Amino acid sequence: MPVLCQKISMLDTSGVVFLQLGAMAALAFYVAANLGANDVANSMGTSVGSKALTLRQAIIVAGILEFSGAVLFGQGVSETLATGVVNVDVFAAQPQVFLIGMVSVLIACGIWLQIATSRGLPVSSSHAVVGAIAGFSCVAAGINAVDWRTIGTISLTWVATPVASGALAALFYSVVKYSILDRPDPLSQMREWIPWLSAAMLSVFGIIVLPSIVDVAFVQTGAIAFVYDRFGWSLPIHDIVIGIGGIGAIGLSLNSWKKLESVEKEEGSAADFVTDVTDVTDARNKKEGIFSQSPPLPLSPSPPPRHSLIEQQMARFQVLSACFVAFAHGSNDVGNAVAPLAAIAYIRRTGSFPSGDFSVPLWILVVGGAGIVIGLAIWGKNVIATVGEKIIQLQPSGGFCAELATATTVLLASRFGLPVSTSHALVGAVVGVGLIKAWKTVRWETLLSIGSAWLVTIPIAGALGASIFSIAQWILAR
């Protein structure tokens, strides 16, 4: 009988733990859904705004790639969001307090991201997480429980990230504008620039995505070790990345040349047809003694303008760049939603503060990836519309330059270990393109709303985190 009672007690305990963890997973799913609705505009907003993709196509493409990036390559989530913002020595002795704090972080971030998303404001989910962690830490253990140097560094990126991204986007668009769009024969110029555009895009995005792919596909599977044991060949990872990127750039260039050649043939056939119809009509009119100052209407629509054909070619580059950004965003930013859940699960499993062996389990990555996709599908159109259409009307050439600048800025910041926001980078890039294209058409009132949301993200998230933590402590103390 005592053994049976002990088993029932164990079942009750495990059931309670399962329910608690399930509730925390639901909270993380809620945060991930809001993150998907807000942050995925970073990868798809400009593609929808430039009409390279419809909203439905963008949601489908981003959903697949964001989920794939989160689940397959989200294991490298940094400990910074879980432990880097707080003073580890303060919470190492009281992990249960830290657990309650992380629950408060999930609730606070979910609420603020949903408010921002409903208003169509692109905000930084990482800043919201940092603000909420700082807020509950101050209440739990005083002001010294927060690493204010990290907070200061993040605050500096508010200014540095959009400025740097905007400058790069302005530079890229200036090159495209003056080297291709404004030339007398833009199609001929496009043909010459295709290899350079392909190399630039795959160099930037390849550095973001390919190292993770190569590590999983060749290192973790043991393929490189097998080749070395069998043939004695030592294959450095960076050489494999360069080789794959080079093959991709060559393939993209050849395909783009082929598409451009078919477009030029269609344009020539359409122009010849219109000319032939006009000549036949003129000859018939002369024979019948009909003379008219106005040219006859062609029997077929006139060929599209050359700039329209150029934008069609640039749209293909932009769609591909948006896919890379979506994949990279899913693999990197999913940690904003699931790092608190991973810390909670770690404390529940070990009873101690997250240490060197802290990692994100696969099931948590699946929760985060699924939440991103659901949130994007339900609420994502608001922020996508703001970034893609309400700052400035974009064409594929401008959208491509904005995405390329965004990825370059984030990549350079990552190399120097600087925490940046892709939302800030993309908005700055869109403004940079707008300043070169037609600065008077930039909607500054939209930028004012976005900037205000940036400024209040950390204070509001901090206040929410502190309030929710205080309420939770009061309830548990009763």
Side-chain angles (χ1 to χ4, degrees):
M1 193 69 176
V3 175
L4 179 60
C5 292
Q6 184 179 7
K7 288 183 178 180
I8 293 175
S9 177
M10 291 175 60
L11 287 175
D12 290 342
T13 304
S14 62
V16 170
V17 171
F18 179 79
L19 289 176
Q20 290 176 344
L21 204 54
M24 297 306 101
L27 275 176
F29 183 90
Y30 172 64
V31 175
N34 282 285
L35 186 149
N38 199 290
D39 269 12
V40 175
N42 300 328
S43 57
M44 290 296 159
T46 52
S47 296
V48 174
S50 67
K51 305 299 187 292
L53 288 174
T54 65
L55 180 61
R56 183 176 180 180
Q57 289 172 336
I59 289 175
I60 293 174
V61 171
I64 295 172
L65 292 171
E66 290 273 347
F67 183 82
S68 300
V71 174
L72 297 178
F73 302 103
Q75 294 91 344
V77 176
S78 172
E79 295 181 21
T80 301
L81 288 177
T83 60
V85 182
V86 300
N87 188 337
V88 176
D89 295 333
V90 172
F91 289 103
Q94 43 184 353
Q96 295 301 321
V97 174
F98 189 73
L99 185 150
I100 297 171
M102 280 304 188
V103 174
S104 305
V105 168
L106 287 175
I107 299 173
C109 290
I111 292 173
W112 171 239
L113 287 176
Q114 184 166 31
I115 292 173
T117 302
S118 65
R119 300 179 65 86
L121 298 174
V123 297
S124 171
S125 57
S126 58
H127 289 184
V129 173
V130 168
I133 293 175
F136 96 78
S137 298
C138 288
V139 173
I143 196 170
N144 292 327
V146 181
D147 186 348
W148 293 107
R149 180 175 297 181
T150 301
I151 301 293
T153 302
I154 293 173
S155 299
L156 287 176
T157 63
W158 285 348
V159 177
T161 300
V163 169
S165 184
L168 283 174
L171 175 63
F172 293 154
Y173 189 71
S174 296
V175 172
V176 171
K177 185 174 186 293
Y178 296 118
S179 301
I180 301 176
L181 300 178
D182 290 349
R183 291 302 181 94
D185 190 359
L187 283 178
S188 177
Q189 290 296 115
M190 183 69 186
R191 186 185 300 106
E192 294 182 8
W193 275 88
I194 279 176
W196 297 104
L197 294 176
S198 301
M201 182 177 64
L202 289 177
S203 294
V204 173
F205 297 117
I207 292 174
I208 295 175
V209 177
L210 283 181
S212 297
I213 296 178
V214 170
D215 181 67
V216 173
F218 294 95
V219 177
Q220 296 185 22
T221 59
I224 291 181
F226 173 79
V227 170
Y228 181 79
D229 293 339
R230 185 70 180 270
F231 304 102
W233 298 344
S234 178
L235 300 176
I237 293 180
H238 62 270
D239 287 350
I240 299 176
V241 170
I242 293 173
I244 295 175
I247 294 172
I250 293 172
L252 180 59
S253 298
L254 293 175
N255 182 262
S256 299
W257 274 330
K258 184 177 180 180
K259 294 287 186 182
L260 187 61
E261 184 179 354
S262 63
V263 167
E264 287 179 316
K265 286 182 179 179
E266 291 176 3
E267 180 196 23
S269 300
D272 292 341
F273 181 78
V274 170
T275 302
D276 293 342
V277 170
T278 303
D279 292 342
V280 170
T281 305
D282 288 343
R284 184 183 61 198
N285 289 343
K286 288 180 180 179
K287 182 177 180 180
E288 296 177 358
I290 300 174
F291 300 94
S292 175
Q293 295 291 335
S294 59
L297 293 174
L299 300 180
S300 176
S302 59
R306 292 200 157 210
H307 279 103
S308 176
L309 298 176
I310 293 295
E311 295 298 342
Q312 291 178 20
Q313 297 298 308
M314 294 299 295
R316 295 187 176 92
F317 282 96
Q318 187 185 1
V319 170
L320 186 58
S321 68
C323 291
F324 277 115
V325 175
F327 187 93
H329 177 269
S331 63
N332 292 327
D333 280 18
V334 69
N336 296 332
V338 301
L341 176 61
I344 292 169
Y346 183 93
I347 295 173
R348 295 294 302 177
R349 186 177 73 254
T350 65
S352 61
F353 187 82
S355 57
D357 61 343
F358 172 73
S359 62
V360 182
L362 179 61
W363 72 268
I364 292 181
L365 294 173
V366 172
V367 168
I372 288 175
V373 174
I374 296 298
L376 169 65
I378 297 176
W379 302 309
K381 61 181 180 180
N382 291 334
V383 177
I384 286 179
T386 297
V387 175
E389 300 174 356
K390 294 183 180 179
I391 298 176
I392 188 174
Q393 290 296 326
L394 286 172
Q395 292 179 311
S397 55
F400 169 72
C401 293
E403 288 175 352
L404 186 62
T406 299
T408 304
T409 302
V410 174
L411 174 63
L412 290 175
S414 299
R415 288 296 183 191
F416 290 104
L418 298 174
V420 297
S421 166
T422 46
S423 300
H424 295 187
L426 188 71
V427 170
V430 172
V431 173
V433 171
L435 293 177
I436 298 298
K437 185 178 180 181
W439 67 271
K440 291 183 178 180
T441 61
V442 176
R443 299 184 178 95
W444 300 104
E445 63 276 8
T446 301
L447 289 178
L448 182 61
S449 298
I450 293 173
S452 300
W454 289 353
L455 290 175
V456 301
T457 291
I458 282 186
I460 288 181
L464 284 172
S467 301
I468 295 170
F469 177 79
S470 299
I471 294 172
Q473 270 197 324
W474 178 76
I475 293 175
L476 292 175
R478 296 188 66 184

